[in-house]
Amino acid sequence: MKQRQQILKKADSSATVSEEAQFQSHPSTHKTQQQTNTPLSQTEAENQEFQQQQIEATKLAIQAKHGTITPEGQTQLTLLQAKMNDVLHRRVEQGAGFGHNLENIALHHPDRIPSVQAKLAIAKPGDKFEQQADQVAGIVVNQINQKTIQKQGTSQATTSQNKESNVEEANNSAANSKQIFLSNYAVAKELVHGIDETLPKEKILEQLLHNFKNISFKYTMTYKQGVTLLKGTREGDCRTLAEAFQTVAQEYFGIQNVTVAQIKKPFLSEAPDTLYQGRKRNCDNGKRWFFQNHYWATWNNTVYDVLFLSNKRPEVDMARQESPLKSMFMPEGEYFETEKGKVVYPRNHEYLTIELGMFEKLKNFINNLGRWLARDMSSIINQIKKLLSRGGNNNSDFESLIREVQNNKTNEINANNPK
């Protein structure tokens, strides 16, 4: 009589490996018997052997169904089926059975996935064996799917927890870094005071710029590093202020790409007084500024001129020379020419200006008189220096000096050519 083994019909192909792993994880009855050291009866030994053959045949049958069985596995499956058929027929003839109903020959454990019934008798489609196989397959697939869902849920929960943990660690790290920053830079506490860190970056920088007016900074026009100011030395120049602004913005507020820009050449400016202690405008008796260079901070194309607490670059009249020119007329022997026709020259700790046209007129006049007034040239130059020391923007003083020199020249000519 032709015999066949029924196999699981509804196990999804993607669950093959998981199903085999379930079978492999079942502890054997043999191991339990070894642990109790109780000799097995012949019937128990046959039951145990049949169960092992059943498990192995079921695994191979699942592989055959999904097309993953090897030629060697197919041969092994055929041999196992033959062996189990022989046992079943012998027991049926003997009327002994296995101590179990042949319909439920597979051992079931409530804490394990049910083992698959290896049905070796000829079956019709839809009979009770077919229905039993369908039920078992459904149980196996459901358990596999549940475990997969549980693993995915556990993985997602773990990932979410890890993200939350990483965010918390990052926040704690940032808070610790800020505390360390403030402990290292005492003045920085005053600069960040009252600033809402949840505001947009440009608003934070505006408030930071505004806070610089409250730190009692002394503008000495002498450069000191920005960190020196933050540590407590409250003096320096425009570069000192710009570097301090950059350091707080980047290291405390985390606003990157704040840079320090500069004008490298000397220039004259109509910029207003600063709000800091120290020097007032240093040119023309407090009317203008003359700078050898200037520095400010910038971010996202916005100017943060910390010296003038402004978002605009100062209007400048650039000097044509980086190094000063020399002239015997100037009180300290040097001067600068600007692009807008000014001559700037130092006097003590400040600067004065005259119009370039007047300065050129004075030079030409003296050069023309040189051959006539060689004896009095030194005296005339001293008079010019005194005049420039009082300020070179008074035209009446220059005209008076020129008239005096012209009169001297006329008097000398008349003395040399008597009638």
Side-chain angles (χ1 to χ4, degrees):
M1 178 177 62
K2 182 177 179 180
Q3 302 281 335
R4 70 180 180 89
Q5 179 184 13
Q6 299 288 343
I7 64 172
L8 294 175
K9 297 174 63 178
K10 294 187 177 180
D12 185 84
S13 61
S14 62
T16 301
V17 176
S18 299
E19 291 170 333
E20 293 178 1
Q22 295 289 348
F23 285 116
Q24 291 172 355
S25 65
H26 288 181
S28 66
T29 306
H30 176 65
K31 186 176 293 186
T32 303
Q33 293 293 338
Q34 284 181 339
Q35 292 173 352
T36 59
N37 296 321
T38 302
L40 297 175
S41 66
Q42 181 178 358
T43 300
E44 289 173 337
E46 288 179 351
N47 285 346
Q48 176 181 303
E49 182 180 3
F50 184 87
Q51 184 182 22
Q52 294 297 327
Q53 291 173 348
Q54 180 189 20
I55 292 172
E56 184 65 24
T58 302
K59 290 193 296 182
L60 293 172
I62 292 173
Q63 292 178 0
K65 176 180 179 181
H66 298 297
T68 60
I69 193 169
T70 62
E72 294 78 4
Q74 184 64 55
T75 301
Q76 179 67 11
L77 175 59
T78 302
L79 292 174
L80 289 171
Q81 290 173 338
K83 289 180 179 180
M84 290 189 291
N85 280 339
D86 291 341
V87 172
L88 287 173
H89 283 299
R90 185 173 67 254
R91 287 304 177 95
V92 169
E93 291 174 356
Q94 294 174 354
F98 290 111
H100 301 280
N101 189 313
L102 290 179
E103 295 179 359
N104 300 307
I105 197 167
L107 298 179
H108 294 274
H109 300 275
D111 59 337
R112 302 174 193 165
I113 298 175
S115 300
V116 181
Q117 170 70 37
K119 297 186 289 185
L120 303 176
I122 297 175
K124 296 180 181 180
D127 66 9
K128 59 184 178 181
F129 296 110
E130 183 80 12
Q131 294 173 4
Q132 181 183 2
D134 289 347
Q135 292 174 358
V136 173
I139 293 172
V140 172
V141 172
N142 287 336
Q143 290 184 350
I144 291 173
N145 290 339
Q146 288 176 2
K147 289 189 175 182
T148 301
I149 293 172
Q150 289 174 354
K151 288 181 180 179
Q152 291 176 346
T154 302
S155 177
Q156 292 174 355
T158 301
T159 300
S160 178
Q161 291 174 356
N162 289 339
K163 288 182 179 179
E164 292 177 359
S165 177
N166 291 338
V167 169
E168 183 177 357
E169 289 179 2
N171 290 337
N172 292 337
S173 177
N176 291 336
S177 297
K178 289 182 177 181
Q179 291 302 319
I180 293 173
F181 182 87
L182 294 180
S183 66
N184 290 336
Y185 301 118
V187 177
K189 295 180 181 179
E190 302 171 36
L191 292 173
V192 305
H193 178 71
I195 297 180
D196 183 356
E197 297 183 38
T198 64
L199 292 174
K201 294 179 181 179
E202 59 271 16
K203 296 296 183 181
I204 291 175
L205 294 178
E206 280 297 327
Q207 293 188 9
L208 175 61
L209 180 68
H210 180 268
N211 281 357
F212 266 86
K213 72 178 183 180
N214 302 321
I215 61 172
S216 301
F217 180 76
K218 185 176 181 180
Y219 178 50
T220 63
M221 299 186 74
T222 301
Y223 169 66
K224 294 182 182 297
Q225 290 184 333
V227 293
T228 303
L229 163 61
L230 296 177
K231 289 179 179 179
T233 304
R234 302 169 186 250
E235 62 179 39
D237 66 353
C238 55
R239 184 178 176 184
T240 306
L241 292 166
E243 289 180 355
F245 182 93
Q246 178 190 45
T247 300
V248 176
Q250 293 189 159
E251 297 187 21
Y252 184 84
F253 292 110
I255 303 175
Q256 301 305 314
N257 301 321
V258 176
T259 59
V260 175
Q262 63 175 310
I263 299 174
K264 296 182 179 180
K265 296 175 62 175
F267 63 90
L268 192 67
S269 176
E270 301 291 337
D273 284 338
T274 72
L275 299 179
Y276 303 114
Q277 301 175 4
R279 297 181 182 179
K280 299 295 183 179
R281 285 182 282 190
N282 65 340
C283 186
D284 288 340
N285 299 314
K287 295 179 180 179
R288 299 179 180 86
W289 287 103
F290 182 74
F291 293 108
Q292 298 289 342
N293 50 52
H294 185 53
Y295 295 82
W296 63 91
T298 181
W299 178 80
N300 198 24
N301 297 321
T302 301
V303 169
Y304 298 90
D305 193 325
V306 193
L307 179 63
F308 299 111
L309 298 176
S310 169
N311 292 121
K312 297 181 180 179
R313 287 182 51 175
E315 300 256 342
V316 298
D317 180 8
M318 298 299 301
R320 289 193 180 96
Q321 294 83 16
E322 293 187 20
S323 299
L325 302 173
K326 301 294 182 182
S327 173
M328 66 180 71
F329 300 141
M330 297 303 175
E332 296 186 22
E334 61 183 32
Y335 68 98
F336 299 84
E337 291 183 11
T338 73
E339 294 177 344
K340 296 181 179 179
K342 294 284 187 181
V343 173
V344 184
Y345 56 96
R347 185 194 65 178
N348 297 326
H349 297 295
E350 63 176 344
Y351 291 89
L352 295 169
T353 64
I354 63 170
E355 296 294 330
L356 179 60
M358 179 63 72
F359 183 62
E360 292 292 341
K361 184 177 179 180
L362 181 61
K363 288 194 298 181
N364 292 334
F365 179 74
I366 296 299
N367 289 335
N368 291 332
L369 290 178
R371 56 182 177 172
W372 299 99
L373 302 175
R375 292 177 304 169
D376 297 328
M377 188 60 65
S378 177
S379 174
I380 294 172
I381 291 174
N382 287 334
Q383 290 185 57
I384 293 174
K385 286 183 177 180
K386 290 179 181 179
L387 176 64
L388 293 175
S389 294
R390 296 196 300 271
N393 291 307
N394 191 333
N395 289 334
S396 62
D397 287 346
F398 275 100
E399 292 172 358
S400 175
L401 175 62
I402 290 173
R403 284 196 301 270
E404 180 181 349
V405 173
Q406 286 177 333
N407 290 336
N408 289 341
K409 176 185 176 183
T410 301
N411 292 335
E412 183 175 352
I413 291 174
N414 291 335
N416 292 331
N417 299 291
K419 295 182 178 178

